[in-house]
Amino acid sequence: MSEPLLEVRDLRTHFFTREGVVRAVDGVSLSVDRGRTLGLVGESGCGKSVTALSILGLIPKPPARIVGGEVLFRGRDLTTLSERELEDVRGKQIAMVFQDPMTSLNPTLTIETQLVETIRRHTDASRREASRRAVELLDEVGIPKPEARLGDYPHRLSGGMRQRVMIAIALSCEPDLLIADEPTTALDVTVQAQVLDLLDRLRREHDMAMIVITHDMGVIAEVADEVAVMYAGQIVEQASAAALFARPEHPYTEALLGALPQLEDHASRVGRLTAIPGRPPSLVEPPAGCRFAARCPYAGEPDGCAEHPPELRELRRGHFVRSEHPASERARPREGVSA
Amino acid sequence: MSSTPQEHGVGLAPLRQRKERRYPTPPDGVQTDAGAPIRASSLWRDAWYRYVRNRAAVIAGVAFLLLLAYCLIWPLVSPYDPYAVDFSQASESPSLAHPFGTDQFGRDLFTRTALGGRVSIGIGFAATFVILSIGVTYGAIAGFLGGFVDNGLMRVLDALYGLPYLPFAIIVLAIFGGGNFWTMVVALSIASWFTTARIVRGQVITLKENDYVRAAHAVGARWPRVLLRHLLPNTLGVLVIAVFLELPGVILGEAFLSFIGLGISPPDASWGSMAQDGYRAYRTAPHIIIVPSIAIAYLILCANFIADGLRDALDPRTRET
Amino acid sequence: MSALLEVRDLVKRFPVKRGLFFERTVDWVEAVAGVSFDIGAGETLGLVGESGSGKSTTGFCVLQLMRPTSGSVRFEGRELTELSGEELRRVRRNAQIVFQDPYSSLDPRMTVGNIVAEPLVVHSVGTRRDRRTRVRELLDVVGFDPTYVNRYPHEFSGGQRQRIGIARALALSPRLIICDEPVSALDVSIQAQIINLLKDLQAEFGLAYLFIAHDLAVVRSVSDRIAVMHRGRIVETGPAKDVYEHPKDEYTKALLASVPVPDPARMQERKADRRKLQGAVAM
């Protein structure tokens, strides 16, 4: 079995603020193989974005700091690299696409400038060569009449186009890994579908690995091969996409899937959605035991899962759960929670 | 819950109470979603914390308060009569008995500076208050009404902008005679409110876009209520900053006008008039002009740092998530 | 019997202005280009569309928060476009709105209690004591702990703030509530809570909803009938079941096919469907 391209081991990123230490990422381990897409899913505040930023060392250093764990990319631990060395990795080997293309593209520079700048940063192409490459890239991401677009400023393009430009910039140096943080959240649903298709196709054509971070389970189903579900700074379930949707094990995953209104559900008008009572725990003083215990319909005294934090264990081949009460181990069926 | 459209009198039909509790009962010690606040702190306290972190702003704040205390309290307890002329003590350099020295008339400068401070700062705040009143009214009306009215008001403002305020101040003083607290206030404010108007208009226009303003209309609030209850209170932050930004300009204006003899006239003291007194004796007794000058600079520096600190502290961009 | 709300040929145009000294209108943008629909008492019409389709503008025009350029809005038999001032205010009591952004829809300088009481204050309903009681009832009904009436909005989470906004909308016992993307800014699990809440309130108080949203799955879970908007026009309406399962318009079909569903098995089929509809949607 070949080595994974990226392996994160027990990563911990904490924010040191006036109100206390926020343990945004608290022991996250994951891996991505070449040519595969990992979906990292969770609601806001679960730490998924911070995880991605930590991989690339892009967290704001004064309040935040990686306090533990390793990020092994092709054997090298990125957490030990200096800023200069990280700059070489960023863009060239690991590229990132962000949520809002309007703020991640410089509005005062033309598309051409931004593309060329990136290309020349990481390769020794001449300006002309870089320009030509830029046109190729724009064409590849599906922008019509790319030569004409070079001179445009970001605000002349629609949201979908801008996101494609971002992807072009990310691809410009043939990275091995592409991290996309909520790449389609700001886009209309029809454009979203196109951009997701594009990402998938590019991933296959360039044999890249991809990490897609999102809160949208539908997006996960569309593009991810493997899925990791995050809650309160930890991974609570990890499995192949097919397995996760077919047989979710963690109570949180079940609840999350149950809370989704289904597009193709005939009875959704009259049914009720599964609402998870309560709110995620504070990351400044996380609970001692299982972080989901307070909202979990299966947590109970005798098990002590409120006292002892469960470990991430392999329930089946390739299916990991951090819970004392995964679905397949429950003795008798309990009523789901409806609030 | 059906009542005819017109029938909403005093006796509102009570909402039917559900039998079970509406919000789910949580296991002990857990916040329900519909439960406790997630951050128990007030907007002002947050602003205070941010202000206090700015060292320069804190020092300036303290320095300003000390200055105020000095100006208000010292003349009440001073052993010297600020008006008494005593040529035997004229033009003495600073000493223990007279920390700021004396002027050509033998008057204690430490006491006169405090007294002058009352006048200068008093005129400063009063003029600033008038500037804000005119500016806020003008800007709020323009911003709130928008469209044609806004256009017209702003074009008039653009024209007025070009007018330098000093000649206007001088004209006012020439007409009404200088030397009076209130004529000074009018003179200094009459042509200085333009920037404030523009700032307030900008704020109101921005705030108008907020959904809570639409919500107020939707529930049926009339426009005075929207303006007074929703828009203006939310411009408070900007206004507080505007006060400390206008103040230095007004102080300097007063100093200048008094210095050239149009403002407060002797024997009353303002820092400007004291500087005028000391101007002639500059070669022999420089302290007479230096003292009020430093006092003016001190006040302006404080006001600027305080304004800076307030701006950072009240920055609405720093949003809680 | 006529419907609670009848909208006919609603048009809203916005001027495009240019000019140095005095702004002149050089062109018009037609955000809403002739929209018609009905809503009956107690039913929900889901108005779906992507950004820029004009759906929110339609909602505002119905309530006369923006004055329509032309067209008719009849609510409870009265023509709203002809009303103004006091008459309009009186009618406003029966039609309310819940906004999308829980952060900007509540005045940060007012307490929760004052925010919810404002409709009552503005219409001089009840004594102060009556209003206090009523506010507590309203907060309880929407699942917000009434002991926190004296706190400020920024102390609460997005979901809690939406509840406050809903309580405010209910204060005058309206018959119609316009929900403008009420759950778009919320997390999935909180979305579910608010959707359940809106459905419960509708059942309990016989409310009619104009539910405006872009999330097709969410809209399906609350709507009896659907209207699909595209570039200012309604391209398809009908009972929810018909529109979702047998869409007739090309745009509607493309829209439905583009929604990612959380089911990898279905995804492959849907991707194939999507490719067939490639032409219908612009980039």
Side-chain angles (χ1 to χ4, degrees), chain B residues 6-56:
Chain B
Q6 260 63 26
E7 229 176 43
H8 285 279
V10 172
L12 269 180
L15 298 168
R16 236 178 21 241
Q17 299 291 41
R18 289 253 291 234
K19 309 234 173 45
E20 334 95 51
R21 287 212 23 216
R22 184 116 348 224
Y23 22 102
T25 319
D28 288 69
V30 165
Q31 309 285 350
T32 64
D33 172 76
I38 53 176
R39 273 184 84 223
S41 70
S42 80
L43 286 172
W44 290 113
R45 191 166 351 141
D46 277 350
W48 177 251
Y49 274 133
R50 277 198 291 271
Y51 185 89
V52 158
R53 256 198 305 210
N54 183 339
R55 200 163 297 164

Side-chain angles (χ1 to χ4, degrees), chain C residues 1-280:
Chain C
M1 182 164 111
S2 59
L4 182 67
L5 178 72
E6 290 171 342
V7 175
R8 296 281 177 272
D9 303 313
L10 193 66
V11 173
K12 178 66 184 167
R13 284 196 298 227
F14 291 104
V16 175
K17 293 200 165 130
R18 293 264 186 279
L20 276 180
F21 295 114
F22 282 96
E23 294 183 321
R24 285 169 304 113
T25 304
V26 298
D27 200 358
W28 296 91
V29 169
E30 214 166 42
V32 181
V35 154
S36 307
F37 56 84
D38 286 355
I39 304 183
E43 76 162 347
T44 303
L45 175 72
L47 189 59
V48 261
E50 298 183 297
S51 57
S53 58
K55 52 193 195 301
S56 290
T57 310
T58 303
F60 293 142
C61 284
V62 164
L63 277 191
Q64 309 297 307
L65 288 175
M66 288 183 188
R67 287 297 199 172
T69 309
S70 71
S72 145
V73 178
R74 294 191 77 85
F75 178 65
E76 292 183 320
R78 304 189 64 182
E79 178 58 54
L80 295 188
T81 55
E82 287 166 9
L83 297 180
S84 63
E86 283 309 304
E87 291 179 316
L88 185 60
R89 284 183 67 237
R90 243 200 309 271
V91 170
R92 280 251 168 84
R93 299 164 75 161
N94 297 325
Q96 281 298 314
I97 181 167
V98 173
F99 292 94
Q100 170 177 2
D101 185 354
Y103 296 92
S104 71
S105 59
L106 306 177
D107 187 335
R109 303 234 178 242
M110 289 175 76
T111 61
V112 169
N114 284 336
I115 290 173
V116 176
E118 183 164 26
L120 304 170
V121 167
V122 159
H123 292 272
S124 309
V125 170
T127 65
R128 192 177 284 183
R129 172 128 36 100
D130 290 338
R131 292 199 282 262
R132 256 207 297 271
T133 315
R134 176 73 166 187
V135 164
R136 296 183 93 88
E137 283 175 0
L138 288 164
L139 289 174
D140 183 60
V141 157
V142 300
F144 185 97
D145 192 340
T147 55
Y148 297 116
V149 270
N150 291 319
R151 304 298 194 114
Y152 287 88
H154 73 276
E155 299 181 51
F156 298 96
S157 68
Q160 289 167 311
R161 287 189 226 203
Q162 277 305 59
R163 290 177 196 264
I164 298 171
I166 293 171
R168 174 176 60 191
L170 284 176
L172 294 169
S173 307
R175 298 186 65 202
L176 168 71
I177 296 188
I178 305 207
C179 303
D180 185 16
E181 307 258 24
V183 295
S184 309
L186 305 175
D187 273 331
V188 168
S189 53
I190 313 294
Q191 257 191 28
Q193 291 177 0
I194 301 295
I195 291 174
N196 285 346
L197 172 65
L198 287 172
K199 286 163 84 160
D200 289 344
L201 293 172
Q202 178 172 47
E204 177 137 1
F205 300 120
L207 299 165
Y209 288 142
L210 174 62
F211 196 93
I212 301 170
H214 64 273
D215 186 327
L216 286 155
V218 166
V219 169
R220 183 165 196 179
S221 68
V222 297
S223 307
D224 301 303
R225 289 169 42 242
I226 306 279
V228 180
M229 269 189 89
H230 181 50
R231 299 229 183 108
R233 283 171 216 282
I234 293 185
V235 296
E236 185 159 357
T237 61
K241 191 167 153 63
D242 293 347
V243 175
Y244 275 91
E245 289 169 32
H246 309 289
K248 299 196 190 67
D249 179 81
E250 288 303 305
Y251 176 72
T252 312
K253 290 183 194 166
L255 203 59
L256 285 167
S258 304
V259 175
V261 295
D263 185 349
R266 277 287 291 148
M267 274 331 292
Q268 294 311 317
E269 300 167 28
R270 291 178 63 81
K271 280 192 189 175
D273 289 339
R274 220 179 282 159
R275 268 185 276 277
K276 277 188 249 154
L277 293 162
Q278 215 44 272

Side-chain angles (χ1 to χ4, degrees), chain B residues 5 8 15 20 39 66 112 124 148 160 172 182 204 207-208 279 298 311:
Chain B
H8 285 279
L15 298 168
E20 334 95 51
R39 273 184 84 223
L66 284 177
R112 275 183 73 79
F148 194 54
L160 290 175
V172 167
W182 290 109
V204 169
L207 290 176
K208 250 194 337 177
Y279 171 65
Y298 178 98
R311 194 189 0 244

Side-chain angles (χ1 to χ4, degrees), chain A residues 226-248:
Chain A
E226 273 89 42
V227 186
V229 180
M230 273 190 81
Y231 181 80
Q234 295 177 322
I235 295 194
V236 296
E237 187 163 357
Q238 195 165 346
S240 72
L244 190 91
F245 285 98
R247 296 177 61 185

Side-chain angles (χ1 to χ4, degrees), chain B residues 31-90:
Chain B
Q31 309 285 350
T32 64
D33 172 76
I38 53 176
R39 273 184 84 223
S41 70
S42 80
L43 286 172
W44 290 113
R45 191 166 351 141
D46 277 350
W48 177 251
Y49 274 133
R50 277 198 291 271
Y51 185 89
V52 158
R53 256 198 305 210
N54 183 339
R55 200 163 297 164
V58 170
I59 294 177
V62 170
F64 183 71
L65 290 172
L66 284 177
L67 180 66
L68 279 183
Y70 159 64
C71 293
L72 290 172
I73 299 175
W74 177 252
L76 301 172
V77 302
S78 162
Y80 299 108
D81 178 351
Y83 296 103
V85 170
D86 181 0
F87 286 107
S88 69
Q89 306 234 29

